[in-house]
Structures are given as structure tokens and as C-alpha cells.
Amino acid sequence: MLVPNITRKELVPMYIAYVVVTVLAAAWVGFSAGSIFFRASWVVDPLTEYGVPQSWWTWLGVAKAAGAVGLVVGLFVPVIGVLAAIGVVLYFAGAVVTNIRAGAYAHIPFPLMYMVPVIVAAGLGAAA
């Protein structure tokens, strides 16, 4: 048992929440990857403004897609999920730094919208 005085029956809802949030977070990060792959203007226009070279865009999408897949695989191989969550959080933390460096303060909430569900999924995974 991870927590004293908690029965397995009480941990089941936490595990279900972990699975649901992880799948939704992975889908959300996967959507972000697809947005780069398909060159959605709401993603690539700011990247151009920030000075991110176009040659990096595909690799940024690959990193996001790998993170999304890793989150789902982590449901079966926990160490992969932990590593994927760390990678995704670091990726979007880098996006926040890029926004700050570019002076695009109004854009800071966007990478946070992808980062926060991953952090919540990791927390639920640790608690489940």
C-alpha cells in the first residue's frame, strides 16, 4: 500500500481518474502535435513571430507526438509514463520561456493549457 489505512477498494476511483485524465492529456498533447504537422496557422504563425526556425517545426511535432504516445504507454509501463510526463512538461516549459523571451506574454497560457493536464495525470498516477 502506498498510503496507510487506505483499502484497495478506495484506490480504484483514483486509478480510474488517473487513466481517464492520462488518456485525455495524451489526446490533447497529440492534438498539439497534429497542429504543427498540419501547419495550423494558430500554431505556426506565432512560431514564426518568435523566430523558431521552420526546420525545427517537424521535430517539435515529433517531440509532442512521442510524449503523447509515451503517456499512453505509461499506463502499462509506468516508467515510460513518468519519463513522457517529464518530457512533455519540460517541452511546454520551454514554450513558456520562448513566449517570455519573445515578449508574447499574452500567449503564455497556451502552453500551460497543455502542461497542466499532464502534471495532473502524473500526480494522479503517483497517488493511484
Side-chain angles (χ1 to χ4, degrees):
M1 284 275 142
L2 295 173
V3 179
N5 301 323
I6 302 260
T7 64
R8 285 188 184 267
K9 185 177 178 181
E10 292 169 326
L11 288 175
V12 170
M14 184 69 73
Y15 183 76
I16 292 169
Y18 161 61
V19 171
V20 169
V21 171
T22 298
V23 169
L24 291 174
W28 189 229
V29 172
F31 168 78
S32 182
S35 297
I36 286 186
F37 290 141
F38 293 110
R39 303 296 194 249
S41 63
W42 70 85
V43 175
V44 297
D45 291 349
L47 290 177
T48 302
E49 286 177 38
Y50 306 155
V52 177
Q54 190 170 355
S55 62
W56 291 13
W57 296 358
T58 299
W59 293 110
L60 294 173
V62 167
K64 290 180 191 183
V69 169
L71 290 171
V72 174
V73 170
L75 294 171
F76 306 99
V77 184
V79 70
I80 299 295
V82 169
L83 294 173
I86 291 169
V88 170
V89 168
L90 289 174
Y91 176 95
F92 287 110
V96 169
V97 170
T98 300
N99 284 320
I100 292 169
R101 290 185 62 188
Y105 303 110
H107 293 179
I108 291 172
F110 298 112
L112 295 177
M113 290 184 337
Y114 295 99
M115 185 189 320
V116 169
V118 174
I119 293 169
V120 172
L124 286 170

